[in-house]
Amino acid sequence: MAAAATAASTSPRFGYWVAFFIFSTITLGATIEAQAHTDRLSPAAQSNQRYAVACATILFLLSIMVVILHTKPLLSSIILGTKIEGFIILVLITFWTALVAIVSDTRHGLATDSSGSIANGNLYYFSWAGLAT
């Protein structure tokens, strides 16, 4: 426990990584649930729904990997303040942007309905929160 606190205290970005992990976990669950309950069955909508699930899965896996690396003193040197961390941040920004674009689009039936109303609040707000963080 003390090792995790030491590793976390050495990284000013650890709190952001934990937030990314929480947001990606909620977003992944909400995306899977929304895909299972959508009424949009066109091939284009289904393709975008699968892409949204893939984006959310990648975001979840990357964020949990970085959080785990931050909590292990030996492994934290691989990620803390390196180009690897910068590259992972760029990948996260790219996937969050794509995910928000897909789930916010009314044509895909994930976070919004056909009239533009928010149908899945967790998916809509937490995907935006992940992008904003």
Side-chain angles (χ1 to χ4, degrees), residues 60-128:
F60 171 78
L61 292 174
L62 282 174
S63 61
I64 194 168
M65 177 190 71
V66 172
V67 167
I68 289 170
L69 287 174
H70 270 77
T71 60
K72 304 295 181 188
L74 183 61
L75 298 175
S76 66
S77 63
I78 296 171
I79 195 86
L80 287 178
T82 65
K83 290 181 181 181
I84 295 171
E85 186 177 27
F87 177 74
I88 292 173
I89 290 169
L90 288 175
V91 169
L92 285 175
I93 290 170
T94 303
F95 279 104
W96 276 116
T97 303
L99 182 65
V100 166
I102 292 170
V103 301
S104 299
D105 194 336
T106 59
R107 294 174 294 172
H108 308 309
L110 289 171
T112 56
D113 60 17
S114 58
S115 67
S117 300
I118 297 171
N120 188 331
N122 280 343
L123 180 56
Y124 185 83
Y125 291 115
F126 281 98
S127 63
W128 275 101

